[in-house]
């Protein structure tokens, strides 16, 4: 799965791991918002890497495996942050994620017979430093977003976005370069 090769999404070992992570995510989402120490402790055990103790992920938060997610310093994600991390998801320093943002790494065939086999593959997502992702943005598998980028609310990011720009739309496109 992590190598980007085709795998069975119904493999019992993967299902067991998914269920264990969903239990932790459920526990995280059930914590009182004022329990910052408890939230941080659960995140630290769930995520693959947290660069510092200043990360904030507002509940509810959802992910598949957690351990493939790496976040940089001073990270903030608002309500309903969803990460399907079948492949690596790397997010840089000083990134802000708006509400209802989804990052997907899992890929499925467009051929119905192949899709119904429950075989899939995954592609990593990488987000640079100083990135602001507006509310209700969807980032698709294999996308790289450069440094110093703003992604406008409601965008669907289907391809790489270079550094130092503002990008919006469906599909998301650069509308302005930033010096």
């Amino acid at each position: 799965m992590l190598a980007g090769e085709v795998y069975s999404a119904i493999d019992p070992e993967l299902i067991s791991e998914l269920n264990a992570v969903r239990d932790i995510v459920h526990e995280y989402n059930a914590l009182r918002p004022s329990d910052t120490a408890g939230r941080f402790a659960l995140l630290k055990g769930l995520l693959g890497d947290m660069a510092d103790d200043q990360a904030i992920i507002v509940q509810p938060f959802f992910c598949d495996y957690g351990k493939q997610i790496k976040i940089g310093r001073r990270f903030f994600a608002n309500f309903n942050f969803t990460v399907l991390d079948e492949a690596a998801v790397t997010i840089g320093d000083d990134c802000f994620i708006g509400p209802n943002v989804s990052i997907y790494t899992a890929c499925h065939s467009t051929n119905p017979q192949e899709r119904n086999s429950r075989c899939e593959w995954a592609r990593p997502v990488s987000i640079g430093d100083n990135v602001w992702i507006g509310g209700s943005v969807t980032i698709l598998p294999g996308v790289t977003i450069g440094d110093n980028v703003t992604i406008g609310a409601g965008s669907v990011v289907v391809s790489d976005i270079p550094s130092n720009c503002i990008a919006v739309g469906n599909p998301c496109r650069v509308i302005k370069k930033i010096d």
Side-chain angles (χ1 to χ4, degrees), residues 10-129:
I10 56 174
D11 177 272
E13 209 172 303
L14 292 177
I15 297 297
S16 176
E17 190 172 347
L18 283 168
N19 286 332
V21 170
R22 287 179 182 148
D23 285 346
I24 295 167
V25 168
H26 176 79
E27 185 179 348
Y28 177 81
N29 289 332
L31 287 173
R32 291 179 134 345
S34 60
D35 186 0
T36 54
R39 287 187 9 233
F40 180 76
L42 280 176
L43 281 179
K44 191 153 183 68
L46 177 64
L47 301 182
D49 188 31
M50 289 175 53
D52 64 20
D53 62 356
Q54 297 176 27
I56 298 170
I57 300 178
V58 178
Q59 300 142 293
F61 164 64
F62 305 97
C63 67
D64 278 343
Y65 295 93
K67 65 185 177 184
Q68 275 83 251
I69 303 169
K70 294 176 176 53
I71 58 175
R73 294 177 183 355
R74 298 169 301 277
F75 176 79
F76 175 84
N78 216 322
F79 301 102
N80 291 316
F81 183 42
T82 300
V83 183
L84 305 186
D85 59 314
E86 279 69 17
V89 174
T90 305
I91 303 172
D93 295 339
D94 297 301
C95 288
F96 299 91
I97 307 289
N100 303 309
V101 168
S102 297
I103 299 174
Y104 306 142
T105 65
C107 303
H108 307 276
S109 177
T110 56
N111 176 293
Q113 289 78 26
E114 290 175 13
R115 187 173 52 247
N116 290 340
S117 74
R118 304 303 192 262
C119 287
E120 56 188 56
W121 62 97
R123 299 287 180 261
V125 169
S126 179
I127 299 171
D129 296 332

Side-chain angles (χ1 to χ4, degrees), residues 126 141-146 157-162 172 174:
S126 179
V143 165
T144 295
I145 297 173
V157 186
V158 301
S159 60
D160 294 352
I161 303 294
C172 189
V174 174

